[in-house]
Amino acid sequence: MFFHAYGVLMEDRIQEAIREFEAIKERREVSLCTLMALIYAHKKSQNPDRDAIQELDAKLKEHRKSATQKGLYFAGLFLWHLGRNEKAREYTDRMIKISNGAKEGLILKGWIDVTSNKDASVKKAGKYFDEALKEGADVFALMGKAQYFELRQNYSGALETINQIIVSFPEFLPAFIKKMKLLLTLQDWEQTVEAAQRLLQKDKTNIEALRMLALHSLCREGDLNESFNQLTNLFATLDRYEPHNPDLFYQMSLAFTRVCGRNEKILEKTHTLVERAFSMASGDAERATELGYQLVLQGKIKEAMKWYRTAMTLDETSISALTGMIRCQLIEGHLEDAEQQLEFLTEIQQTIGKSGELSYLRAVLAIKKCKPQEEVINLLNDAMDTHFSALQGLPLGVEYFEKLNPDFLLEIIKEYIALCPTQPPSQGQPASPQLKHCASVLETVVKTVPGLIQAVYLMAKVKFQAGDIKAAQSSLQHCLEQNPSHADAHLLMAQIYLLQGNLKLSSQSLELCLSYNFEIREHPLYHLIKAQTQKKTGELQEAIHTLQIAMSLQGMKRTGSSSKSKSKRIEISSTDCVSVFLELAEAHWMNGEQHEAAKVMQDAINEFSGTPEELRVTIANADLALLRGDTELALNMLRNITPEQPYYIQAKEKMADIYLNHRKEKRLYASCYRDLVEKLPSSHTYLLLGDAYMNIQEVEKAIEIYEQALMKNPKDGALASKIGKALVKTHNYAKAINYYEAALKSGQQNFHRYDLAELLLKLRQYEKSERVLQQALNHEPVTDLAALSEDGRYLVLLAKIQNRMENNEQAILSLQRARDVQARVLKRVQLEQPDAVPMQKQLAAEICAEIAKHYTCQRDYEKAIKFYKEALVYCESDNKVDFNQRFKNIYFFEQVMLELARLYLSQDDVEACQHQCAVLLKTDQDNEAATMMMADLMFRKQDYEQAVFHFQQLLERKPDNYPTLSRLIDLLRRAGKLEEVPRFLEMAEKHSSRAKLEPGFNYCKGIYQWYTGEPNDGLRHFNKARKDNEWGQNAIYNMIEICLNPDNDTMGGEVFENLDGDIGNSTEKQESEQLAVRTAEKLLKELKPQTPDGHVQLRIMENYCLMATKQKANVEKALNVFTEIANSEKDHVPALLGMATAYMILKQTPRARNQLKRIAKMNWNAIDADEFEKSWLLLADIYIQSGKYDMAGELLKRCLRHNKSSCKAYEYMGYIMEKEQSYRDAALNYEMAWKYGNQTNPTIGYKLAFNYLKAKRYVDAIDICHKVLDAHPNYPKMRKDILDKARAALRS
């Protein structure tokens, strides 16, 4: 009953409330609070009854003495609702005292403290709630605890408490409302909307939920129509359920007014709402002021002025109403009145407190009165700083949207932009400092209200004027996707295309603009861009005509512009207005109409005389003088511009350009910038002087100037970075390191950590570099987008350093962290910085590809494939990126596709590999690597003609493409077609007379001769390539292999060990082997691996040399190293083969067999192809020794499937057939071994002749005997056992 009456009272139905209070004032529990409420109600009446108040006051004092516990509690609760916290605390303390700490009293005291706006009291509140909750869950206590957490900015703690309430009290709606608001504070819009929808399921008329959905549509989605519909629904609900609540009507309108981007329909709705609030409380000056403000936003200045006057009538001290009147006066051009009022407000500012709006209006007045630019900028800076100071500590929510007031911020941004050059700075020149400030503010606005298209457009404009064209285009694309009829966005896009020289797209943007908004023809800027496009295409007459149309438009009339036309006045900046004049003058000049050009220029001087733009006309005049070749006249004009005037810096830059590019006088070029620093000393002019010194290669002077500039602006990261890079450029690395370290110690230059770490990496100081990055990453978890991006960069560089330190596990962990961070960045950037999405996607792709490379090195091919696929997901082409970036993206995409294809090939997944190659060749027919891989696939499918065709295509285009040729030789060997190699070698020789001197050619010739059984010739050619950077390392590895195994025997094999009789163990052969090992050891010292894989390969080769000595101690030492590598590198085939070979030499055959079986179960891959073949041959050797011919045969067939030229595989097959007395089959296999050994191995010759003899092919046997004996006249047993017997058999 009491709170019902209180609610009626709050709706200003005072008499009705008094009647209800009178009816319950005798009830003991509520008598105290009822008496208080009656006094409050009487005082609130228009004509307060003094006698009644006096009587009630006396009764209150009487009741207070005998008040019960409940009475004191309700009195405290009522006073707290009225906002009288101190009085409420007094009653609550008394209640707690007489009740020995009643739970209700503790909870109320907690709420009083938590809403006291005093930090000391707020800190105490938590303990009262905790004390009360010891007696069990209480919704009022839990809500208080959540409020306490929220005020302490522990939003996750608050959310956890609210979730407890929802679980325990599922019908308590305020908890759902609080959860929705907390989710918004945590910037999780998706869950906020979900919470609002859940709330509406429980209460379909919930005003807070309806407001939240309308704000989401407006702020997040930028869907004005949907937002309007939701607002209509919200206001209808208000009208139905809260028709007498003027405060609610007023409060509900505020946020929408300030974030709607001046949308007419929404402003009309909010205006109606505030009018309704004012009609219910017509004495409220604050609401009258708000009505005036909303009319200003609608462009109804005279009506707004009326409401501001009404507000002043209601409250003569209303500063906000007076400020609104000044704004209207400035808009209408009543500058004197506005100036007087502003002077008054400025004088009393210390009393009323600083106001951002006041500083802004002073800036506008300064602009209109042509005050110095510096004064305007200071006022705008002051406006911005004051405005943002009011937002400190305020969480994201409805109040934040109100106080942020994006509309006001955009007004300030527009004034900043108007003060900056309209065109991007030339290459190497810094952008206007104001643009950086604008970008920072706009990032906040776009991040908070991404649906505000005007903010996105202004961000594009700022990026364009700052020279970040790619980001500007991306923002405009986003802007036009949201609103295709945005005329200004189309015009800016046309300007960008024009700047890029893409005249066709510039014209298309103008046509699109016209198709969406026909009124754009009345905008001079449209004609200016069109004329600039025509001028660049050589259509000078058309350009002149277009500019003349622009000159005739209403927007170009600078004087007497109080147009009475009913049509909306087109706004054009004075900068663009001057551009029309200057472009027309230049077009006339280029068309040979010098007289007309001079006339237009004179018109410009007359039109802009006495304005800041007059100096632009002077600079343009100087340009015309330059066109006539009169540099002295141009310089004289520019010299007349004084430091006090705007465009002085541009004039000096123009003079410097004349001295450098026209007169070639570097000394005078630098002196222009020295003058600038002398006359206008600032960090910006010092930076210009430093850049000038860098341009003329005077780096030491540049560093000195940069350091002076940094003293003026110690927080300028870009400047500090320039100093570091300049020091590096002079190779003064020690000073650069000291500089970076000193900057870091100062605590102001944290962004130098990356530059320092990168420099230390370059100098190979890996541990120090790693320490710098670990310090940078040692911080609490961050949510800020910039900080997340920075962490990602640090982690990628850290992984690079750890990789150089051969700490591969840590490198992968760092990259995995970078990937996680980048995923968070991508999620945020799509909403906060849509222009940066393509670049961030590319970074994510590069991180995934780097992880894949590491897994490839570890031979974990499945994971490598997974991460390469993930990289491809991010590689989707984006038309919003510029050509250069798109080219880089395509190149990266191709590299990832190639790596994936190689991995599929290594996994024996031929179909997947072929698909990857086909996709690549579809986009790039000349892709060498894809063509080579496709050829490899064709070989595997035994489609030799197609395979050779692919290589032939490459080699016909470039016969000296030695990487392709070397790969072709390897594949022809595997196809058993080595006889086709010479023609390709001849093609290379014919193509270049220097071919025989080329290391690549000698390498190719060497591998061909080695493969065809001529190791000595192979060694000679490899030796010619061994000093080359590209071919040397591989040539040396091949030379070592030849030295260690010139006859390509099965190392560790026992089948053929003693077949050579005494030759196999001759002293001469042993000495030859020892000499070969010593040669191999010398060659090992020449190897300089650059990769972790290369270092492992070197260790394996070193230990093969140890094994080749056949000394037990050396073999055991090698075995230990091979075991260590096999344990650290997963499925490392060369290491496992090394272990097996060592075990065989140590006569530990079972252990060798176990390792070889392990290899036999693995998938073949091209990288380890030779090691796979050697391991299968060795395992086959073991099986043959133990009589398991079937198992050996399967392995040998596998060898021949992957290498049809495997001489040793045919030899083993022949041996098996011979043992099985199948002499014809044995002869066929020995024939192949003899063929692919190039008929040079006497042992195979002997075996072939022997099996011919056994197969009764006597003539063939005699023929082979002659060939062997011609090359080896003393080969044992050949003459006696075969030749003589074959001859005898023929005779008989």
Side-chain angles (χ1 to χ4, degrees):
M1 289 285 285
F2 172 79
F3 281 105
H4 181 270
Y6 175 67
V8 171
L9 178 61
M10 287 297 101
E11 286 189 335
D12 281 340
R13 290 149 60 192
I14 296 167
Q15 293 309 313
E16 192 180 333
I18 288 172
R19 282 197 297 276
E20 288 192 27
F21 284 133
E22 287 288 350
I24 59 169
K25 72 178 181 182
E26 298 304 326
R27 294 188 185 181
R28 196 170 179 206
E29 285 186 350
V30 293
S31 61
L32 198 60
C33 60
T34 305
L35 289 168
M36 289 177 181
L38 280 165
I39 293 167
Y40 178 73
H42 279 293
K43 284 181 179 178
K44 207 176 176 188
S45 305
Q46 284 186 343
N47 300 303
D49 185 342
R50 302 291 174 195
D51 294 337
I53 292 169
Q54 220 168 357
E55 189 184 331
L56 288 164
D57 204 30
K59 278 187 183 178
L60 178 65
K61 285 174 185 173
E62 192 182 320
H63 277 69
R64 197 185 296 155
K65 291 172 188 173
S66 59
T68 64
Q69 176 186 327
K70 285 277 185 188
L72 290 167
Y73 173 74
F74 284 122
L77 188 61
F78 172 69
L79 288 164
W80 173 62
H81 274 297
L82 287 182
R84 296 176 64 187
N85 283 24
E86 291 306 317
K87 203 72 181 166
R89 188 181 279 112
E90 187 185 312
Y91 279 87
T92 308
D93 284 343
R94 192 171 153 204
M95 179 262 175
I96 292 168
K97 191 175 179 183
I98 66 169
S99 66
N100 292 322
K103 181 171 81 169
E104 291 84 359
L106 290 169
I107 295 168
L108 180 55
K109 186 161 186 185
W111 271 105
I112 292 166
D113 281 347
V114 93
T115 55
S116 65
N117 294 326
K118 293 178 183 174
D119 199 43
S121 298
V122 172
K123 282 179 183 175
K124 293 179 195 170
K127 70 177 183 182
Y128 294 125
F129 295 128
D130 289 335
E131 189 72 28
L133 287 166
K134 284 178 184 175
E135 296 180 34
D138 183 286
V139 69
F140 198 31
L142 286 168
M143 285 293 284
K145 193 174 180 183
Q147 185 73 13
Y148 166 75
F149 280 138
E150 188 178 355
L151 285 172
R152 305 295 294 163
Q153 296 186 346
N154 180 0
Y155 302 118
S156 52
L159 188 61
E160 195 178 318
T161 308
I162 291 296
N163 285 333
Q164 276 180 256
I165 299 172
I166 289 169
V167 171
S168 305
F169 308 94
E171 298 307 315
F172 186 65
L173 292 183
F176 287 89
I177 294 169
K178 178 60 83 175
K179 180 175 182 176
M180 176 180 70
K181 290 181 177 179
L182 281 169
L183 288 166
L184 180 58
T185 298
L186 291 166
Q187 300 181 30
D188 191 337
W189 270 108
E190 284 180 26
Q191 285 200 57
T192 303
V193 171
E194 200 177 301
Q197 287 165 345
R198 188 178 170 193
L199 189 50
L200 287 171
Q201 285 172 2
K202 290 182 171 290
D203 174 14
K204 64 181 179 182
T205 60
N206 189 282
I207 288 166
E208 292 291 349
L210 291 169
R211 171 163 69 172
M212 193 61 76
L213 289 178
L215 274 173
H216 174 260
S217 296
L218 192 57
C219 299
R220 192 69 169 180
E221 302 299 324
D223 190 337
L224 295 167
N225 291 329
E226 179 63 22
S227 181
F228 178 77
N229 293 337
Q230 287 169 336
L231 268 177
T232 305
N233 185 21
L234 169 63
F235 296 165
T237 307
L238 269 176
D239 201 32
R240 186 175 176 190
Y241 293 98
E242 292 283 351
H244 305 296
N245 194 336
D247 285 339
L248 196 57
F249 274 72
Y250 172 66
Q251 289 296 333
M252 281 287 160
S253 75
L254 297 179
F256 295 104
T257 302
R258 285 145 180 80
V259 298
C260 71
R262 303 199 178 190
N263 180 267
E264 290 178 14
K265 286 167 70 178
I266 290 174
L267 284 174
E268 281 172 15
K269 272 281 173 200
T270 57
H271 188 263
T272 305
L273 208 63
V274 181
E275 268 189 327
R276 182 80 181 277
F278 186 76
S279 68
M280 285 187 266
S282 54
D284 194 322
E286 189 181 344
R287 286 163 203 174
T289 304
E290 177 63 21
L291 282 168
Y293 178 65
Q294 292 197 18
L295 287 164
V296 167
L297 296 183
Q298 292 178 63
K300 299 173 181 177
I301 308 304
K302 287 183 178 174
E303 289 177 50
M305 197 68 165
K306 285 177 187 174
W307 277 108
Y308 285 132
R309 287 198 180 108
T310 302
M312 289 296 291
T313 306
L314 294 169
D315 180 4
E316 292 177 358
T317 63
S318 174
I319 300 299
S320 54
L322 182 55
T323 306
M325 287 175 71
I326 296 168
R327 180 190 280 260
C328 291
Q329 287 166 346
L330 286 170
I331 293 168
E332 292 192 317
H334 303 148
L335 303 186
E336 297 307 318
D337 295 341
E339 189 169 20
Q340 284 177 13
Q341 301 282 15
L342 278 170
E343 280 173 9
F344 166 70
L345 284 179
T346 307
E347 282 173 19
I348 64 165
Q349 193 167 240
Q350 286 184 341
T351 313
I352 62 172
K354 284 187 83 172
S355 158
E357 192 170 3
L358 183 59
S359 297
Y360 165 69
L361 293 175
R362 287 176 63 200
V364 172
L365 179 66
I367 291 164
K368 288 183 179 286
K369 292 215 150 196
C370 300
K371 293 288 175 72
Q373 198 178 79
E374 195 175 339
E375 183 184 329
V376 176
I377 288 167
N378 288 337
L379 286 166
L380 289 173
N381 288 345
D382 195 38
M384 200 70 87
D385 293 344
T386 308
H387 186 75
F388 273 106
S389 66
L391 293 168
Q392 282 182 357
L394 198 62
L396 184 64
V398 176
E399 189 186 353
Y400 185 87
F401 288 128
E402 291 169 17
K403 290 195 174 173
L404 178 68
N405 195 352
D407 190 275
F408 175 63
L409 290 174
L410 296 190
E411 287 296 298
I412 298 175
I413 294 296
K414 285 174 190 174
E415 298 300 346
Y416 272 127
I417 291 172
L419 296 171
C420 301
T422 53
Q423 293 299 309
S426 54
Q427 196 171 10
Q429 291 303 312
S432 169
Q434 279 71 53
L435 291 172
K436 190 177 179 184
H437 194 37
C438 288
S440 168
V441 173
L442 284 168
E443 274 169 21
T444 302
V445 175
V446 171
K447 179 181 173 183
T448 313
V449 195
L452 187 55
I453 296 303
Q454 189 62 12
V456 180
Y457 163 72
L458 287 175
M459 176 67 94
K461 191 160 185 173
V462 165
K463 296 284 186 187
F464 169 70
Q465 289 181 211
D468 191 349
I469 306 302
K470 184 172 69 173
Q473 276 183 295
S474 186
S475 290
L476 286 174
Q477 289 280 7
H478 175 62
C479 190
L480 291 169
E481 280 167 14
Q482 291 284 96
N483 181 7
S485 62
H486 199 296
D488 288 337
H490 281 295
L491 286 178
L492 184 54
M493 189 68 93
Q495 278 181 285
I496 289 171
Y497 286 135
L498 182 64
L499 187 76
Q500 292 173 335
N502 197 333
L503 306 181
K504 187 179 176 183
L505 286 177
S506 180
S507 296
Q508 281 178 8
S509 288
L510 290 174
E511 286 167 17
L512 263 175
C513 182
L514 191 61
S515 68
Y516 281 116
N517 185 351
F518 209 60
E519 289 181 4
I520 203 67
R521 291 182 310 165
E522 301 302 313
H523 203 307
L525 186 58
Y526 166 78
H527 295 283
L528 174 62
I529 300 165
K530 186 177 178 182
Q532 287 170 332
T533 308
Q534 289 167 331
K535 196 171 76 175
K536 288 203 174 184
T537 55
E539 300 171 35
L540 291 173
Q541 203 57 53
E542 290 82 350
I544 290 167
H545 177 67
T546 304
L547 288 164
Q548 284 168 343
I549 293 172
M551 293 283 282
S552 67
L553 293 173
Q554 184 189 351
M556 289 295 293
K557 295 176 175 64
R558 314 299 298 165
T559 54
S561 60
S562 58
S563 172
K564 292 179 183 178
S565 170
K566 289 181 183 177
S567 64
K568 189 178 176 182
R569 176 170 168 73
I570 300 290
E571 289 184 14
I572 178 169
S573 68
S574 56
T575 307
D576 287 332
C577 201
V578 170
S579 296
V580 175
F581 277 90
L582 301 185
E583 284 289 338
L584 181 55
E586 191 179 349
H588 278 307
W589 178 269
M590 290 171 72
N591 204 34
E593 300 167 359
Q594 283 81 359
H595 177 69
E596 290 296 322
K599 211 170 142 187
V600 172
M601 197 58 81
Q602 190 57 51
D603 288 344
I605 292 167
N606 297 337
E607 182 77 15
F608 297 98
S609 179
T611 72
E613 301 304 324
E614 180 185 7
L615 301 174
R616 254 190 86 197
V617 179
T618 304
I619 294 169
N621 247 332
D623 280 333
L624 279 178
L626 276 179
L627 288 172
R628 294 196 298 269
D630 194 342
T631 54
E632 194 54 46
L633 178 61
L635 287 167
N636 284 333
M637 287 180 186
L638 295 167
R639 286 185 191 116
N640 289 329
I641 299 174
T642 60
E644 298 78 32
Q645 295 174 300
Y647 295 102
Y648 174 70
I649 293 175
Q650 288 88 331
K652 277 291 178 185
E653 286 181 293
K654 178 65 72 178
M655 286 175 72
D657 179 68
I658 293 169
Y659 283 128
L660 185 65
N661 296 315
H662 292 268
R663 291 196 169 183
K664 313 295 181 191
E665 294 180 17
K666 290 183 180 180
R667 187 178 57 81
L668 290 172
Y669 165 74
S671 74
C672 288
Y673 290 104
R674 281 199 298 273
D675 286 347
L676 260 180
V677 168
E678 191 181 320
K679 300 287 194 308
L680 296 175
S682 69
S683 59
H684 177 56
T685 52
Y686 272 96
L687 188 62
L688 290 174
L689 178 56
D691 288 349
Y693 279 131
M694 288 295 284
N695 286 341
I696 56 175
Q697 306 301 312
E698 294 188 17
V699 183
E700 286 80 7
K701 284 184 181 179
I703 292 168
E704 187 184 326
I705 296 299
Y706 285 146
E707 285 174 343
Q708 288 179 42
L710 194 63
M711 286 170 69
K712 289 186 170 293
N713 189 6
K715 293 184 180 179
D716 190 334
L719 187 54
S721 185
K722 281 192 175 196
I723 298 172
K725 284 169 184 170
L727 286 166
V728 170
K729 198 170 182 179
T730 58
H731 304 290
N732 198 341
Y733 300 125
K735 192 174 178 184
I737 290 170
N738 290 338
Y739 168 75
Y740 283 134
E741 286 176 344
L744 286 170
K745 281 176 187 172
S746 73
Q748 296 176 342
Q749 310 290 347
N750 285 335
F751 35 77
H752 289 318
R753 289 190 192 279
Y754 189 89
D755 290 343
L756 174 57
E758 205 169 34
L759 177 56
L760 291 167
L761 171 62
K762 186 179 179 181
L763 298 174
R764 299 186 181 181
Q765 296 182 25
Y766 301 132
E767 287 181 9
K768 205 171 177 183
S769 182
E770 185 183 29
R771 201 159 52 245
V772 168
L773 290 172
Q774 294 287 16
Q775 285 170 359
L777 291 162
N778 186 18
H779 55 67
E780 292 297 314
V782 292
T783 55
D784 179 58
L785 183 57
L788 283 171
S789 299
E790 200 65 26
D791 277 2
R793 286 178 75 221
Y794 288 149
L795 286 163
V796 171
L797 186 59
L798 180 61
K800 194 175 179 182
I801 292 160
Q802 288 164 336
N803 188 36
R804 294 277 182 89
M805 295 167 78
E806 296 183 29
N807 192 347
N808 293 326
E809 291 300 321
Q810 283 299 318
I812 287 179
L813 284 174
S814 295
L815 285 168
Q816 292 276 21
R817 280 177 66 195
R819 172 175 165 262
D820 295 342
V821 167
Q822 194 60 23
R824 289 172 67 195
V825 168
L826 269 173
K827 191 176 177 184
R828 293 273 299 278
V829 87
Q830 286 171 1
L831 296 164
E832 294 175 27
Q833 294 178 12
D835 51 297
V837 169
M839 185 183 74
Q840 295 297 346
K841 275 189 174 181
Q842 183 65 19
L843 278 174
E846 286 168 10
I847 291 167
C848 291
E850 203 58 42
I851 296 171
K853 280 181 196 171
H854 279 276
Y855 280 124
T856 304
C857 292
Q858 292 184 0
R859 296 167 191 273
D860 192 339
Y861 299 128
E862 284 184 13
K863 280 188 180 174
I865 288 169
K866 174 193 163 190
F867 282 103
Y868 275 130
K869 280 183 172 178
E870 192 175 323
L872 284 177
V873 171
Y874 293 119
C875 278
E876 291 171 3
S877 61
D878 196 325
N879 294 327
K880 295 176 189 176
V881 300
D882 64 28
F883 174 78
N884 289 334
Q885 186 61 47
R886 205 175 307 155
F887 181 78
K888 286 177 190 171
N889 291 0
I890 290 167
Y891 176 76
F892 177 79
F893 171 77
E894 287 180 355
Q895 294 307 305
V896 171
M897 291 283 281
L898 277 171
E899 291 302 327
L900 253 181
R902 288 189 186 109
L903 286 168
Y904 283 134
L905 194 60
S906 67
Q907 295 285 84
D908 225 15
D909 190 344
V910 176
E911 293 305 317
C913 177
Q914 190 169 344
H915 172 71
Q916 296 292 114
C917 292
V919 171
L920 266 173
L921 290 170
K922 192 175 179 182
T923 54
D924 179 11
Q925 291 180 344
D926 299 332
N927 191 296
E928 202 170 293
T931 305
M932 288 169 73
M933 214 174 296
M934 199 62 122
D936 197 355
L937 290 171
M938 294 303 111
F939 271 117
R940 286 180 184 230
K941 291 184 172 184
Q942 300 184 345
D943 188 348
Y944 304 126
E945 286 183 14
Q946 192 62 32
V948 173
F949 167 74
H950 280 292
F951 276 117
Q952 203 164 333
Q953 274 189 315
L954 288 172
L955 291 170
E956 278 174 1
R957 281 199 298 270
K958 195 180 177 193
D960 60 349
N961 185 343
Y962 298 122
T964 300
L965 182 55
S966 67
R967 189 82 184 99
L968 174 61
I969 293 168
D970 183 56
L971 291 174
L972 285 170
R973 165 200 173 205
R974 295 189 179 285
K977 291 183 173 287
L978 277 168
E979 66 276 7
E980 292 187 20
V981 173
R983 76 183 176 95
F984 292 104
L985 290 169
E986 284 167 18
M987 275 170 62
E989 281 188 69
K990 286 176 185 175
H991 177 71
S992 170
S993 57
R994 289 181 52 82
K996 289 184 179 179
L997 302 172
E998 291 285 344
F1001 178 82
N1002 280 294
Y1003 180 85
C1004 292
K1005 194 88 181 260
I1007 55 171
Y1008 169 66
Q1009 287 170 332
W1010 183 23
Y1011 290 160
T1012 52
E1014 295 176 8
N1016 290 331
D1017 287 340
L1019 267 176
R1020 196 172 67 254
H1021 282 94
F1022 284 139
N1023 192 47
K1024 289 178 182 177
R1026 96 174 206 255
K1027 298 292 182 184
D1028 183 67
N1029 286 337
E1030 184 181 354
W1031 300 98
Q1033 297 290 294
N1034 284 338
I1036 293 168
Y1037 276 119
N1038 291 344
M1039 289 173 79
I1040 293 167
E1041 284 202 48
I1042 291 171
C1043 289
L1044 297 180
N1045 189 7
D1047 297 326
N1048 204 21
D1049 293 330
T1050 306
M1051 287 181 74
E1054 297 177 347
V1055 172
F1056 301 129
E1057 198 174 43
N1058 298 312
L1059 289 182
D1060 290 341
D1062 297 332
I1063 292 174
N1065 297 313
S1066 68
T1067 307
E1068 186 184 340
K1069 185 168 183 185
Q1070 285 177 357
E1071 285 176 1
S1072 171
E1073 284 176 355
Q1074 287 171 9
L1075 178 64
V1077 170
R1078 285 198 293 275
T1079 306
E1081 286 170 349
K1082 283 179 186 175
L1083 287 167
L1084 276 170
K1085 291 173 184 175
E1086 294 183 22
L1087 289 168
K1088 307 288 180 196
Q1090 301 296 316
T1091 62
D1093 273 357
H1095 285 287
V1096 173
Q1097 191 182 2
L1098 175 58
R1099 287 180 72 197
I1100 283 171
M1101 200 55 82
E1102 285 169 346
N1103 288 283
Y1104 266 104
C1105 282
L1106 283 175
M1107 283 199 301
T1109 62
K1110 305 284 176 71
Q1111 294 171 13
K1112 187 179 178 185
N1114 284 346
V1115 175
E1116 285 175 346
K1117 190 177 175 184
L1119 177 60
N1120 289 336
V1121 174
F1122 289 136
T1123 307
E1124 183 190 326
I1125 294 169
N1127 288 337
S1128 62
E1129 303 274 341
K1130 185 185 173 187
D1131 292 343
H1132 197 282
V1133 179
L1136 293 170
L1137 175 60
M1139 287 172 69
T1141 307
Y1143 282 133
M1144 288 301 291
I1145 294 169
L1146 294 169
K1147 305 298 180 187
Q1148 296 178 26
T1149 305
R1151 288 185 173 182
R1153 186 171 59 240
N1154 288 340
Q1155 300 303 328
L1156 294 168
K1157 279 182 175 179
R1158 188 174 158 190
I1159 297 171
K1161 290 174 185 174
M1162 293 180 196
N1163 288 326
W1164 182 89
N1165 67 72
I1167 299 165
D1168 299 319
D1170 289 338
E1171 283 74 17
F1172 271 110
E1173 186 177 329
K1174 288 172 186 174
S1175 65
W1176 295 336
L1177 289 171
L1178 184 54
L1179 184 55
D1181 187 290
I1182 293 168
Y1183 284 146
I1184 291 167
Q1185 280 289 90
S1186 52
K1188 296 175 181 176
Y1189 296 142
D1190 288 347
M1191 293 172 79
E1194 284 303 314
L1195 285 165
L1196 294 169
K1197 284 174 187 173
R1198 197 190 296 185
C1199 284
L1200 291 170
R1201 199 161 57 244
H1202 288 95
N1203 180 9
K1204 288 183 169 53
S1205 299
S1206 179
C1207 183
K1208 192 58 71 176
Y1210 284 119
E1211 189 178 355
Y1212 276 118
M1213 289 288 277
Y1215 180 83
I1216 292 169
M1217 299 302 171
E1218 191 178 339
K1219 284 288 181 186
E1220 291 176 342
Q1221 296 185 357
S1222 178
Y1223 299 116
R1224 285 183 180 279
D1225 290 336
L1228 287 173
N1229 281 293
Y1230 282 131
E1231 259 179 33
M1232 299 303 285
W1234 179 244
K1235 174 188 171 184
Y1236 290 119
N1238 205 22
Q1239 302 183 0
T1240 56
N1241 189 323
T1243 307
I1244 295 172
Y1246 176 87
K1247 292 172 187 174
L1248 176 58
F1250 177 78
N1251 280 279
Y1252 276 154
L1253 180 68
K1254 288 284 186 181
K1256 298 182 180 180
R1257 292 171 62 182
Y1258 305 123
V1259 175
D1260 292 333
I1262 292 165
D1263 185 37
I1264 295 300
C1265 286
H1266 282 305
K1267 284 183 179 177
V1268 172
L1269 291 168
D1270 283 347
H1272 306 275
N1274 300 318
Y1275 193 82
K1277 301 181 185 178
M1278 177 69 84
R1279 195 178 299 276
K1280 184 180 175 183
D1281 288 1
I1282 302 171
L1283 183 60
D1284 292 347
K1285 286 181 181 178
R1287 282 173 175 166
L1290 277 173
R1291 290 191 192 107
S1292 64

